[in-house]
Each structure stands twice: as structure tokens, then as C-alpha cells.
């Protein structure tokens, strides 16, 4: 049985998502939930699966690999959302089906080189809109360069953009700007991009602004699993 905490938080979150879709005149099912399970135990993930969640985001590789192995039978989609060290690319390339934090060509090449799973690795280019030195990501110009490089790599499937905004950035303005870039890149490269369908933006505090700007995937940890103590 799911913990009452998790099921009531999930119900509240689902209501927020529905309300935000309605306010933005979007289809209620046009936004996917990525459950950010970093620091949370496998038992809690199993409970989330019982509530219908299938996509999970992890930041810390060692911890993630243990959980992925532990929950192998459940056929979940695992998304890597942490900073990527290039010496970890071999593990990341095969343990996950998505990498949302791609921000440099060397890492793209290594993920491509090491991916041995038959299906390509889905990747999102991380955009650092506010040039915040505390997080990864490329600026708008470099997003296009990086996309061109990814297009030449057969084991990577570019699916869209991901962003984390600085606290000081107005979230409506910031998310709209990344959504615009997502559209502009699609217009320019449409014939090479059969599946450019994902815009991953919005976390616990600001999913409404992200959904309003066109997010197709929100990444929620705290408002789903509770505060992280570590
Ligand atoms: C931790 C994390 C989240 C979830 O943040 P919450 O505020 O706990 O919802 C989303 N995206 C990334 C990249 C994260 O590292």
C-alpha cells in the first residue's frame, strides 16, 4: 500500500497539473510527470509505481545504479538529471534510457560511443539561460552547435531541451524563452528531428509557470516525496 503521504501528495500534485493545463488551455494529459527520486529509497519508488508513476529522475550515479538494478523487474524509464562527469559516461549510457543534462560535445561523443543498448539513448540539451555558474548547461547559441553535433551521432536521439532557472530569473519569462528556443530549433532542423517532442522544465515550486510556457515534462521531487534531508 502506498504511504498516505505519497498518495495524498501525488493527488495534490495531479490537481495542480490539471489546473495549470486548464489555465493554459492545454490538454490535461499533455504534461508528463518525472518523479525525482534522488536520495529516496527503492521502497518509496515501488509505492510511486503503484500509484501509476513510470518515469524517475536521478542525480547521483552510484545511488541510481543500485536502485535501477534493484527495481529492474518493473521496466521503468530512468532519466539521468545530474551533472555528468565524462569518466562516468560508460555507465550512464547504458543504465539510463534518458539523459537530460547533456551540455558538451565530449560527453555526447562518449555517450554515443559507449551506448550498447539497441535503442538510441534519448537526450535533452540542457540550457543554462541565465549563465549561472553553479549549474551545467549551454547558452542559446551553443545549444544549436551541440544539437548539430548530436545529430551526427547514431546512438543518441535528440528529443528536446531541459532547463533549470536561477532563482533570480522570472520563471515565466525564463521558461518562455527556452520554449521559444525549442520551437526555433525545430523550425530549423525539423527534417532531421523526427522526435523533437520534449521540453523538460518546472520543479516543485514553479510547475505552473513552466506548464504555461509549454513544458511537456515537469520534474518534481519535494512536492511528491517530501523534503530531502540529505
Ligand atoms: C532535484 C531536482 C529536481 C526536483 O526539484 P524539487 O524542487 O525537489 O521538485 C528537478 N530537476 C533537477 C535537475 C533536480 O536536480
Amino acid at each position: 500500500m502506498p504511504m498516505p503521504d505519497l498518495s495524498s501528495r501525488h493527488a495534490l500534485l495531479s490537481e495542480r497539473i490539471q489546473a495549470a493545463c486548464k489555465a493554459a488551455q492545454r490538454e490535461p494529459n499533455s504534461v508528463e510527470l518525472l518523479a525525482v527520486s534522488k536520495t529516496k529509497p527503492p521502497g518509496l519508488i515501488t509505492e510511486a509505481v503503484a500509484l501509476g508513476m513510470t518515469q524517475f529522475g536521478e542525480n547521483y550515479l552510484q545511488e541510481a545504479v543500485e536502485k535501477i538494478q534493484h527495481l529492474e523487474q518493473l521496466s521503468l524509464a530512468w532519466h539521468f538529471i545530474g551533472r555528468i562527469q565524462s569518466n562516468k559516461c560508460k555507465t550512464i549510457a547504458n543504465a539510463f534510457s534518458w539523459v537530460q543534462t547533456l551540455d558538451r560535445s565530449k560527453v555526447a561523443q562518449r555517450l554515443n560511443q559507449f551506448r550498447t543498448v539497441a535503442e538510441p539513448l534519448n537526450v535533452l540539451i540542457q540550457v543554462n539561460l541565465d549563465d549561472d555558474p553553479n549549474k551545467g548547461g549551454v547558452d542559446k547559441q551553443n545549444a544549436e552547435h551541440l544539437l548539430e553535433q548530436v545529430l551526427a551521432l547514431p546512438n543518441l536521439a535528440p528529443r528536446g531541451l531541459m532547463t533549470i532557472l536561477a532563482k533570480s530569473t522570472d520563471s515565466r519569462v525564463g521558461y518562455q524563452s527556452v520554449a521559444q528556443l525549442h520551437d526555433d530549433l525545430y523550425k530549423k532542423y525539423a527534417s532531421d528531428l523526427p522526435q523533437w517532442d520534449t521540453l523538460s522544465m518546472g520543479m516543485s515550486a514553479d510547475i505552473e509557470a513552466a506548464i504555461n510556457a509549454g513544458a511537456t515534462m515537469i520534474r518534481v521531487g519535494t512536492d511528491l516525496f517530501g523534503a530531502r534531508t540529505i
Side-chain angles (χ1 to χ4, degrees):
M1 278 292 288
M3 277 169 67
D5 274 5
L6 179 62
S7 60
S8 55
R9 284 198 193 98
H10 181 242
L12 273 178
L13 180 62
S14 302
E15 281 171 28
R16 275 176 74 192
I17 296 170
Q18 299 310 318
C21 285
K22 196 167 178 210
Q25 295 177 301
R26 297 183 52 187
E27 292 291 326
N29 300 320
S30 58
V31 179
E32 287 181 280
L33 172 62
L34 181 70
V36 176
S37 47
K38 62 186 173 203
T39 80
K40 302 296 178 185
L44 199 57
I45 297 175
T46 310
E47 292 177 11
V49 175
L51 290 167
M53 286 168 258
T54 56
Q55 309 209 67
F56 293 87
E58 290 280 340
N59 295 55
Y60 311 111
L61 188 57
Q62 166 102 26
E63 175 199 332
V65 166
E66 285 169 21
K67 288 187 226 175
I68 292 169
Q69 283 170 355
H70 193 85
L71 300 169
E72 212 169 27
Q73 314 296 350
L74 295 176
S75 66
L76 304 172
W78 293 94
H79 296 235
F80 189 72
I81 60 171
R83 292 294 281 267
I84 305 174
Q85 290 171 262
S86 71
N87 64 343
K88 301 288 168 59
C89 284
K90 192 171 184 176
T91 307
I92 293 172
N94 294 300
F96 290 84
S97 48
W98 288 74
V99 168
Q100 297 208 359
T101 42
L102 183 65
D103 65 358
R104 57 200 196 277
S105 129
K106 182 183 176 191
V107 164
Q109 272 153 16
R110 288 173 67 86
L111 292 172
N112 179 67
Q113 177 193 348
F114 290 121
R115 176 81 171 173
T116 55
V117 179
E119 309 84 58
L121 178 65
N122 297 300
V123 296
L124 302 181
I125 292 174
Q126 183 179 354
V127 178
N128 188 343
L129 189 75
D130 17 54
D131 292 319
D132 180 354
N134 298 313
K135 55 177 198 252
V138 288
D139 62 20
K140 285 184 148 193
Q141 286 72 34
N142 286 314
E144 180 166 349
H145 291 301
L146 184 54
L147 175 60
E148 284 182 358
Q149 288 166 324
V150 171
L151 285 170
L153 301 171
N155 300 322
L156 302 187
R159 299 289 297 267
L161 303 178
M162 176 274 210
T163 199
I164 309 168
L165 296 182
K167 284 202 173 62
S168 56
T169 298
D170 180 311
S171 53
R172 292 214 169 228
V173 177
Y175 287 142
Q176 266 158 18
S177 171
V178 177
Q180 184 68 52
L181 177 63
H182 188 267
D183 276 0
D184 291 346
L185 290 172
Y186 186 68
K187 284 192 188 108
K188 188 156 176 190
Y189 296 95
S191 56
D192 300 316
L193 289 172
Q195 283 186 289
W196 189 251
D197 54 4
T198 305
L199 188 50
S200 169
M201 51 191 203
M203 320 204 305
S204 292
D206 61 9
I207 62 168
E208 285 80 7
I211 290 171
N212 183 264
T216 67
M217 184 180 286
I218 55 170
R219 309 179 309 269
V220 180
T222 308
D223 282 3
L224 194 53
F225 295 119
R228 290 176 293 273
T229 50
I230 35 172

